[in-house]
């Protein structure tokens, strides 16, 4: 077993893929949206991925059913030669979020999203 100090010291050694942002995008099934027209797969030094998934919850907070929506799992990840510390990862996630916001804001009305910082290694 290693101490917390040893674990954090060894965390910076070696290549790492780290998820910076995680979440969901959705739109009504009746709305024909090609996310490729609005989003990029490369965001500065990060990679943007999305895949269609079943709605991860049955209802939105307002009680509206999610069954009429098309959902996408959304991930922003970055590859590192050396895994940086938590402060640097947080800064990278924040920068990715700021770069992503104008792209998300440019999607058609009816497209929704919920993203959060998720600094776990893949």
């Amino acid at each position: 077993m290693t101490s917390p100090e040893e674990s954090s010291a060894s965390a910076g050694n070696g290549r790492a893929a780290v998820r910076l942002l995680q979440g969901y995008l959705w739109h009504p099934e009746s709305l024909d949206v090609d996310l490729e027209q609005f989003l990029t797969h490369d965001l500065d030094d990060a990679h943007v991925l999305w895949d269609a998934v079943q709605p991860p919850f049955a209802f939105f907070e307002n009680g509206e059913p999610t069954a009429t929506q098309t959902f996408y799992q959304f991930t922003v990840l970055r590859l590192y030669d050396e895994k940086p510390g938590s402060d640097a990862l947080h800064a990278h996630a924040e920068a990715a979020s700021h770069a992503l916001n104008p792209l998300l804001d440019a999607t058609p009305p009816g497209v929704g999203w919920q993203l959060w910082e998720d600094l776990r290694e893949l």
Side-chain angles (χ1 to χ4, degrees):
M1 184 172 262
T2 60
S3 70
E5 293 79 18
E6 290 171 331
S7 295
S8 61
S10 64
N13 297 330
R15 291 184 53 86
V18 177
R19 183 179 316 162
L20 299 175
L21 302 172
Q22 177 74 33
Y24 298 101
L25 274 81
W26 62 86
H27 61 78
E29 289 178 348
S30 60
L31 186 63
D32 186 23
V33 176
D34 180 6
L35 293 178
E36 296 281 341
Q37 293 180 352
F38 301 96
L39 300 175
T40 180
H41 288 285
D42 295 307
L43 192 64
D44 297 324
D45 293 329
H47 302 282
V48 180
L49 309 170
W50 61 87
D51 294 300
V53 296
Q54 293 295 319
F57 38 88
F59 297 94
F60 290 105
E61 289 180 8
N62 66 1
E64 180 185 342
T66 59
T68 61
Q69 304 287 314
T70 299
F71 267 80
Y72 303 89
Q73 176 82 38
F74 192 85
T75 305
V76 177
L77 68 97
R78 186 166 169 180
L79 303 173
Y80 296 95
D81 289 330
E82 292 286 329
K83 183 179 175 188
S86 297
D87 290 342
L89 288 173
H90 172 71
H92 295 165
E94 192 170 337
S97 178
H98 287 298
L100 192 58
N101 278 340
L103 302 176
L104 292 169
D105 287 340
T107 58
V111 175
W113 61 88
Q114 181 181 27
L115 301 176
W116 53 89
E117 185 174 283
D118 183 349
L119 303 178
R120 291 181 289 166
E121 202 167 332
L122 296 171

